[in-house]
Amino acid sequence: MLNAADDAFAEGLDRAGIRVKPADRSYLEEPRSLYNGTSRQVALPTSTDEVSRVVRICAEARVGIVPYGGGTGLVAGQVATDGPAPLVLSLERMTAIREIFPAEDTIVAEAGATIGDIQAAAEETGRLFPLSYSSQGTAQLGGALSVNSGGLNVLRYGMARDLCLGIEAVLPDGNVLHALKRLRKDNTGYDLRHLLIGSEGTLGVITAAALRLLPRPAETATAFLAVASPRAALSLLAICREQAGELISAFELISAEALAFLAETQPDLRQPFDEAPEWAVLTELGMGPGSDPEGQLGMIFERASEAGLVLDGRVAQGERQRADFWALRESIPHANRRIGSIASHDISLPLSEIPGFIEECGEKIRKMLPCRISAFGHLGDGNLHYNIFPPEGETRDAYLGKTSDVTRLVHDMVVACGGSFSAEHGVGRAKSGELERYADPAKLAAMRSIKAALDPRGIMNPGAVIT
Ligand SMILES: Cc1cc2nc3c(=O)[nH]c(=O)nc-3n(C[C@H](O)[C@H](O)[C@H](O)COP(=O)(O)OP(=O)(O)OC[C@H]3O[C@@H](n4cnc5c(N)ncnc54)[C@H](O)[C@@H]3O)c2cc1C
């Protein structure tokens, strides 16, 4: 593999009319500041044809390419750390909403459009694009699809994959895959859309996608509920499902520690309870016009209180309080970064395993080191962000030697419970060793064969996902 800073290579890009600029820090860092990229140049194509030209030139010169979206990925897929410096290929100039089809409830957007841009375009036509997470103002469609990101509304609307009907992408030989169909049904052989989604830039560059839009819930109700335990939260979820079925848009679990970190780092945020409960659930119902989601929440609250599951609760009185509730949830990652974790994990488990896992894993980790554990996440999806922090008054520096032991314990337990060591953040470079360790051998072998068949020169995001 050659270096992207090679003069002949740079001249080739220039002759092909591709704008290139030096890679400043913003392309070389990632949100957790754990990895630094080595790339020195960034290509800034404006069209699918230009992306194809860049990829052909890289393929010929055997120069690696790192596709780059908003740079918010949490597993270092967007920063190459070893080997010859690759070219960063940023989609930041491909931001068009190509077309909206209100009668079909579909939208076609370029890969560089942010999730927030797509939500806003959908809203203008009275529709909902439900992918939602706190980095949505920066994260791009290409990044979201290539990681198959999740977020707050997966319980009701699914992951990025579930919202994508068709895809346009440049394959590692420079050929353009024209699969930008707006079809719900299309059984015509291998579905390359689903191969590219979740491939984290290792099989091609996504340049555009056709996406599903949904009706905007006319009435919503949001509640912050104190629950006795994760087991009580699961029983509450079952009651919510019985009462409101698929109308539950979100069901988030938040631990006392997460609320304490918010109080410590962002005291201006309004917390619903004077004293933080051991566990809390943030849930939202979204329903059609003329419905009464608040009434539904009231009935859920009543049933759950009678069963001793809910100890206290607040239903948002108006948009401002709803925004306050969500601000708390969305600020947790920021608070965690301020405190500084020893180890963080994005895990998923079969729902019924979660209470036992939280109890047992906590006990085992506390035997290993003194610590605080902040667990929060999308309980309705079986997805927990399970993070370990130093004891109060200490910084993580003294404990970083324990990080890999803690992660081994957590991931071993997760896998033993039938769970996954990466629920929604992907594999990238940070977890490629974990994939090697835990993936089914047949899956790994098939992944390697697919990679070798589509990208025989190994130019697409070298070092990410499979090593
Ligand atoms: C505060 C915060 C909160 C977050 N919350 C969530 C959450 O709730 N749920 C969740 O799932 N994620 C979350 N994330 C992670 C991240 O924001 C998402 O995974 C996001 O979708 C990544 O998009 P991006 O455009 O920033 O991708 P990048 O970080 O730029 O890239 C991510 C990966 O995608 C590849 N890539 C980027 N663009 C393309 C393309 N066009 N074609 C092919 N490959 C490409 C890159 O090479 C890299 O491997 C959060 C991150 C932060 C910082």
Side-chain angles (χ1 to χ4, degrees), residues 31 66-74 77-78 91 111 132-135 138-140 142-144 146-147 149-152 200-201 204-207 329 333 337 378 385 424-425 461:
V66 179
Y68 194 91
T72 66
L74 294 173
Q78 71 278 35
L91 279 293
S132 171
Y133 34 81
S134 55
S135 54
T138 313
Q140 297 178 1
S146 75
V147 174
S149 54
L152 300 167
E200 301 182 49
V205 184
I206 296 168
T207 51
R329 168 61 185 86
R337 267 194 300 283
H378 319 297
H385 299 305
E424 59 176 7
H425 294 163
N461 213 356

Side-chain angles (χ1 to χ4, degrees), residues 284-312:
E284 186 161 280
L285 300 188
M287 297 169 70
S291 58
D292 178 19
E294 224 172 276
Q296 289 282 344
L297 270 185
M299 283 190 260
I300 290 168
F301 185 72
E302 213 168 290
R303 276 182 66 185
S305 303
E306 275 168 21
L309 303 171
V310 169
L311 310 173
D312 199 356

